[in-house]
Amino acid sequence: MSPENGKILPENDAADLNFEATELTLGLPGKSRVTSDGGAKLGNKRGFFETVDLNFGDKDCGQSQIDVQEAANSPVSNDEHRVQVEGWPPVRGFRKNAMTSCKYVKVAVDGAPYLRKVDLEMYDSYQQLLSSLEQMFSCFTIRNYLNEKKIIDHMNGIEYVPTYEDKDGDWMLVGDVPWQMFVESCKRLRLKKSSEAIGLAPRTPPKCASTTERSLN
Amino acid sequence: MNYFPDEVLEPVFDFITSHKDRNSVSLVCKSWFKIERYSRQRVFIGNCYSTCPERLIARFPGLKSLTLKGKPHFADFNLVPHDWGGFLYPWIEALAKSRIGLEELRLKRMVVSDESLELLSKSFVNFKSLVLVSCEGFTTDGLAAIAANCRFLRELDLQENEVDDHRGHWLSCFPESCTSLVSLNFACLKGEINLGALERLVARSPNLKSLRLNRAVPFDTLEKLLMQAPQLLDLGTGSYVPDPSSEAYNRLKSAIQRCKSIRSLSGFLEVNPRCMSAIYPICANLTFLNLSYAPGLSGNELTKLIQHCRKLQRLWILDYIGDKGLGVVASTCKELQELRVFPTDPLGAGNAAVTEEGLVLISAGCPKLNSLLYFCQQMTNAALITVAKNCPNFICFRLCILDPIKPDPVTNRPLDEGFGAIVESCEGLKRLSLSGLLSDQVFLYIGMYAKQLEMLSIAFAGDSDEGMLYVLNGCKKLRKLEIRDSPFGNAALLEDVGKYETMRSLWMSSCEVTLGGCKTLAEKMPSLSVEIINESQQMEFSLDDRTVDKMYLYRTLVGHRKDAPEFVWIL
């Protein structure tokens, strides 16, 4: 074989595979991959979906194949029709767990030219998160102002309200839902200038001298 | 040769350090066998079930350093059930009873219990070095025993182990009298550690050359440690989130300037990207940079850093560096020998940020490249052919396309020609991992050209038994073959049963070998152990034409192992 001369493979079994049909699947390779209706592939001996493990990031490989039927029925969400296959891509379990346990979200501050990133998995509570934000944007301090969490820029007296975008794309006030729920649904954070946060904050009673401890989580 | 007394040959053999050479020497004649075995200090056992502790002890009474590997490689990817085997304890138990003066133990994919660590720590007075890679089964209590009892410990190196972290004070268990540490790596631990104890330990370890911290070690401590240990060669930061306006950050900047010996850098498990510039002064001398656990850096920050690393020989990064970023690597790191690009999203659900373009750029800019691990979105035959031409020195070539049966997206052909070019051009290739759409043709090329190949990993590839046969017949030096989800069956398995005695092991899962085929093999080759791993279904002994889920076979001197769990059936 001389790879340099760019010889095209003569027609052979490989070329008979009908690449269009095989392109998007993870069935076993082999001539029988193509079904008559060109639909989803099933391997020779085992169904395609039987090799799918839907327990993402789950270390315990003793998990039984769950809900095979459900997997077979649910519509494929991403363009490539790619479904998770057990043990693929071949990344060491330790690395998989280390990487997937990161939940990095962008943090934007109204008026600041740069964004930051925080790993929500590093925190156990709203208080820790807000303290960390305080350190990151170090000119601000956080005040628990009545029932809301606000961040106040002492330099210019501007109040910031921490908000986040959830999975549905809605902008929500930080602190309403239990911490874990927040971690799971938060896509990114934004410290909005208080005046612009109208519409997100619930109605608040008029300002008074005392602050109220809000129980977290 | 017969005329030299033993005392003359012994010092000569001392110069022979490679395991392969030592093994060859021992086969020359009885007298050389005897001299070699008494003078052997380092033994490597690639499959712990190929022999047993008693035989090891009997043959090498002078043993000082032992390397053991347990589970098959695919265990790394969750394909081997948790309690399959690879237990350390019996080895320690037997060694402890003997008169072996063990000083060094290196383990990979073994199950290491706290009891075995404790026994180890108490049984060998001169124990110096413990290296655990991808192991499991122990907690920080076991580490506490090592710290407390190994008075002359030089090296404790934990790489990517699953450790049950009891957040105890294992670091505090190093006695005040322990000043011998040269290497301490606990980056894989998840829990808190006693920071004061760590600082004191580093302060009293003047020989410390390698220090890799875990995420729980904050920036402030890192700064203090660097002040104490300017002699470090290898640094792994834990958390690197300084407050840029703080005194600690300023102190770190000057501490780093004093660390003129650092050649290897890793960590940044948590990072403030604005503060990476403090690291630039040591970049010029770096030969190894591992940022594969640093998702907090952006592609830009990554390339900015790499531009300072002109002497880099080994680089491990995440794929969000992108093809352009790899271009920067290619134009900066002319000494590069090893590159590993890991997926930022290891579940593979997203898209990898690198393609064949990045690899081509690297191959053009880094002609010394000899080792590659590359997770990518796609690959083309043309790219692989170019890479083969640019880099004929590959010893290890592992390509992983996230969609494992993706063809060349430009031509829609299999990647046979591309991989064929690699094996033809790289005559020294020892390790190869394939992916993408592949037919039997690629195996024809491998059998034809990959004459030095020792390890081959195959997934979702090939059309028929012919594929596997090309490999078994052509690759004379093959030692490890692992195959998953490929249509190879009994005909390929049984054609040349003697071949497996020349190999360490063969793994086949989700292929087409049947129980009957495996039984036949086991009957014909009593020197092999043929294991069937069958966790999900009931073992139906009568159905010989049933395909097996997972088969793992290996040559062994000691017959069937006695510690196999229920779901493992040894034929």
Side-chain angles (χ1 to χ4, degrees):
Chain A
M1 178 201 93
S2 21
E4 286 83 15
N5 71 12
K7 213 162 59 156
I8 297 171
L9 272 180
E11 287 299 305
N12 62 9
D13 289 345
D16 285 343
L17 280 174
N18 185 0
F19 293 117
E20 259 170 80
T22 59
E23 198 174 84
L24 301 179
T25 74
L26 292 174
L28 285 180
K31 292 175 216 163
S32 58
R33 266 189 285 190
V34 184
T35 58
S36 56
D37 62 354
K41 305 305 159 288
L42 294 178
N44 284 335
K45 290 285 159 65
R46 64 198 69 234
F48 164 59
F49 289 109
E50 285 168 42
T51 64
V52 170
D53 174 17
L54 296 179
N55 289 315
F56 299 146
D58 204 317
K59 285 189 286 182
D60 187 354
C61 54
Q63 292 280 342
S64 52
Q65 304 294 340
I66 56 153
D67 278 326
V68 169
Q69 196 52 45
E70 190 181 284
N73 289 337
S74 62
V76 181
S77 53
N78 84 45
D79 290 338
E80 294 273 331
H81 294 261
R82 194 184 307 135
V83 190
Q84 298 306 308
V85 174
E86 174 82 64
W88 195 269
V91 174
R92 212 173 247 177
F94 178 87
R95 182 179 288 278
K96 249 185 190 159
N97 293 333
M99 295 301 288
T100 54
S101 73
C102 296
K103 181 127 194 218
Y104 273 92
V105 296
K106 291 182 185 171
V107 183
V109 177
D110 278 353
Y114 53 83
L115 277 66
R116 294 300 303 277
K117 261 190 173 164
V118 291
D119 178 4
L120 294 180
E121 293 281 344
M122 288 307 297
Y123 310 106
D124 290 327
S125 69
Y126 285 110
Q127 193 57 47
Q128 284 182 15
L129 169 63
L130 294 176
S131 302
S132 180
L133 291 179
E134 174 189 85
Q135 279 172 43
M136 245 184 241
F137 300 97
S138 52
C139 48
F140 304 152
T141 49
I142 295 173
R143 290 278 174 269
N144 244 345
Y145 201 64
L146 296 183
N147 282 343
E148 294 156 9
K149 286 156 193 53
K150 282 204 181 128
I151 297 181
I152 297 176
D153 179 356
H154 280 302
M155 299 293 282
N156 55 26
I158 298 176
E159 269 182 8
Y160 292 85
V161 174
T163 65
Y164 71 102
E165 185 183 7
D166 71 3
K167 277 185 176 150
D168 300 323
D170 297 321
W171 284 92
M172 315 286 292
L173 201 63
V174 167
D176 288 340
V177 301
W179 171 254
Q180 267 312 313
M181 196 182 293
F182 164 72
V183 171
E184 266 152 55
S185 59
C186 174
K187 292 253 91 83
R188 53 187 163 138
L189 286 160
R190 188 174 196 91
L191 302 186
K192 284 197 149 89
K193 286 198 180 140
S194 201
S195 54
E196 288 176 24
I198 291 168
L200 290 171
R203 283 182 172 272
T204 60
K207 294 179 186 181
C208 60
S210 62
T211 57
T212 317
E213 284 294 344
R214 182 190 171 123
S215 69
L216 298 165
N217 207 21
Chain B
M1 288 187 265
N2 293 344
Y3 307 115
F4 286 128
D6 294 2
E7 310 86 73
V8 172
L9 282 176
E10 267 173 35
V12 172
F13 287 0
D14 278 350
F15 287 100
I16 301 172
T17 48
S18 109
H19 293 291
K20 274 195 182 142
D21 291 343
R22 278 261 168 184
N23 295 344
S24 306
V25 156
S26 66
L27 292 173
V28 167
C29 63
K30 276 202 178 128
S31 133
W32 279 35
F33 180 88
K34 187 181 109 214
I35 300 168
E36 197 283 319
R37 73 176 257 256
Y38 281 111
S39 65
R40 177 103 79 144
Q41 294 187 345
R42 316 181 67 86
V43 175
F44 170 89
I45 299 177
N47 173 9
C48 64
Y49 291 119
S50 63
T51 182
C52 65
E54 289 71 28
R55 289 182 72 115
L56 171 72
I57 293 164
R59 182 169 168 190
F60 299 114
L63 181 68
K64 289 216 169 77
S65 162
L66 176 62
T67 302
L68 274 176
K69 292 189 181 182
K71 300 186 192 181
H73 177 232
F74 276 177
D76 276 350
F77 318 131
N78 266 0
L79 290 181
V80 176
H82 192 62
D83 359 323
W84 170 86
F87 305 106
L88 176 66
Y89 192 82
W91 291 84
I92 304 299
E93 198 182 19
L95 286 163
K97 287 197 190 119
S98 74
R99 292 212 229 120
I100 300 267
L102 194 67
E103 293 185 12
E104 179 180 294
L105 188 61
R106 312 168 77 88
L107 305 174
K108 191 169 190 179
R109 283 189 290 271
M110 299 280 297
V111 177
V112 177
S113 62
D114 283 344
E115 289 73 32
S116 56
L117 288 177
E118 193 167 336
L119 184 58
L120 171 69
S121 73
K122 291 181 173 156
S123 310
F124 307 103
V125 172
N126 283 325
F127 192 75
K128 296 194 172 72
S129 167
L130 181 62
V131 180
L132 303 179
V133 180
S134 211
C135 296
E136 55 171 345
F138 60 104
T139 77
T140 43
D141 295 347
L143 298 178
I146 296 287
N149 303 324
C150 300
R151 295 197 298 144
F152 303 113
L153 195 69
R154 287 204 204 139
E155 180 176 26
L156 179 58
D157 184 359
L158 308 171
Q159 299 175 31
E160 300 191 332
N161 303 288
E162 298 289 353
V163 185
D164 200 355
D165 202 323
H166 290 169
R167 288 156 206 246
H169 294 271
W170 66 274
L171 257 182
S172 324
C173 295
F174 281 105
E176 290 300 314
S177 54
C178 173
T179 57
S180 48
L181 271 183
V182 174
S183 166
L184 179 62
N185 171 8
F186 58 92
C188 66
L189 295 187
K190 305 213 174 81
E192 305 297 316
I193 52 145
N194 186 328
L195 298 176
L198 175 61
E199 289 171 35
R200 289 189 297 276
L201 179 62
V202 170
R204 65 176 186 274
S205 302
N207 298 321
L208 194 67
K209 294 288 189 287
S210 169
L211 179 63
R212 296 190 188 186
L213 311 169
N214 76 345
R215 198 171 201 165
V217 179
F219 176 81
D220 288 351
T221 306
L222 170 67
E223 174 264 309
K224 289 185 195 143
L225 295 173
L226 283 181
M227 301 283 276
Q228 291 287 350
Q231 77 281 4
L232 283 179
L233 298 180
D234 168 26
L235 173 67
T237 70
S239 173
Y240 186 81
V241 189
D243 174 354
S245 60
S246 66
E247 258 313 294
Y249 184 54
N250 284 331
R251 285 197 302 267
L252 176 108
K253 282 196 243 184
S254 43
I256 287 262
Q257 305 269 10
R258 288 167 60 224
C259 295
K260 299 193 186 303
S261 308
I262 295 184
R263 297 287 175 268
S264 163
L265 185 64
S266 60
F268 302 95
L269 310 172
E270 244 199 323
V271 59
N272 179 349
R274 283 164 67 207
C275 299
M276 290 306 282
S277 50
I279 303 293
Y280 293 167
I282 51 170
C283 287
N285 286 325
L286 285 182
T287 55
F288 177 38
L289 179 62
N290 179 359
L291 294 176
S292 65
Y293 281 104
L297 290 171
S298 74
N300 278 340
E301 285 141 4
L302 208 45
T303 48
K304 262 199 295 190
L305 183 73
I306 288 173
Q307 276 172 320
H308 289 84
C309 304
R310 304 206 147 263
K311 288 197 188 153
L312 221 50
Q313 293 172 15
R314 298 168 59 211
L315 176 63
W316 294 18
I317 38 171
L318 291 170
D319 65 1
Y320 66 74
I321 191 175
D323 287 332
K324 283 215 179 79
L326 288 177
V328 174
V329 174
S331 50
T332 310
C333 309
K334 295 306 184 185
E335 301 299 312
L336 198 67
Q337 295 175 29
E338 175 181 323
L339 175 67
R340 297 194 192 190
V341 182
F342 292 96
T344 311
D345 177 7
L347 295 177
N351 296 315
V354 296
T355 68
E356 77 279 7
E357 288 179 18
L359 186 58
V360 168
L361 288 172
I362 291 281
S363 73
C366 310
K368 293 187 182 177
L369 198 65
N370 61 43
S371 176
L372 180 75
L373 173 61
Y374 196 73
F375 287 83
C376 59
Q377 186 64 24
Q378 62 184 44
M379 186 52 57
T380 63
N381 283 310
L384 285 174
I385 290 168
T386 304
V387 169
K389 229 186 296 196
N390 291 338
C391 296
N393 298 318
F394 275 115
I395 297 173
C396 171
F397 191 88
R398 295 191 279 166
L399 188 71
C400 177
I401 303 171
L402 286 192
D403 177 348
I405 53 165
K406 190 168 176 140
D408 178 329
V410 173
T411 63
N412 241 354
R413 314 282 312 168
L415 292 176
D416 303 334
E417 296 304 309
F419 279 108
I422 294 287
V423 292
E424 191 188 9
S425 165
C426 304
E427 292 175 352
L429 193 68
K430 287 190 181 168
R431 183 168 180 185
L432 178 64
S433 293
L434 308 169
S435 64
L437 186 68
L438 295 162
S439 75
D440 283 346
Q441 188 74 3
V442 71
F443 299 114
L444 172 73
Y445 295 144
I446 292 173
M448 215 190 308
Y449 294 110
K451 292 308 178 189
Q452 301 301 319
L453 195 65
E454 296 181 6
M455 181 170 178
L456 178 62
S457 307
I458 300 170
F460 303 97
D463 304 316
S464 71
D465 286 330
E466 285 306 305
M468 186 168 165
L469 285 171
Y470 289 139
V471 171
L472 291 175
N473 292 331
C475 299
K476 302 294 182 201
K477 298 216 174 156
L478 196 63
R479 291 194 294 116
K480 285 180 282 180
L481 180 58
E482 48 186 21
I483 307 172
R484 63 166 292 184
D485 294 272
S486 301
F488 306 136
N490 294 339
L493 182 70
L494 297 173
E495 159 124 341
D496 176 12
V497 295
K499 171 80 176 172
Y500 307 121
E501 254 182 354
T502 69
M503 292 167 55
R504 183 189 298 173
S505 64
L506 168 68
W507 168 282
M508 293 181 76
S509 60
S510 306
C511 297
E512 289 172 26
V513 293
T514 67
L515 189 54
C518 296
K519 278 184 181 170
T520 307
L521 178 55
E523 262 171 48
K524 288 188 175 176
M525 298 294 295
S527 59
L528 301 178
S529 197
V530 181
E531 296 191 7
I532 308 293
I533 301 167
N534 210 331
E535 347 146 45
S536 46
Q537 289 131 351
Q538 284 228 328
M539 210 83 77
E540 288 169 43
F541 297 89
S542 53
L543 289 182
D544 275 4
D545 57 354
R546 180 194 194 84
T547 56
V548 301
D549 272 346
K550 297 169 182 172
M551 179 203 71
Y552 179 56
L553 67 84
Y554 48 89
R555 65 182 176 191
T556 173
L557 297 170
V558 293
H560 298 171
R561 61 182 173 118
K562 309 285 183 298
D563 62 1
E566 267 185 10
F567 52 79
V568 172
W569 182 23
I570 306 183
L571 298 177

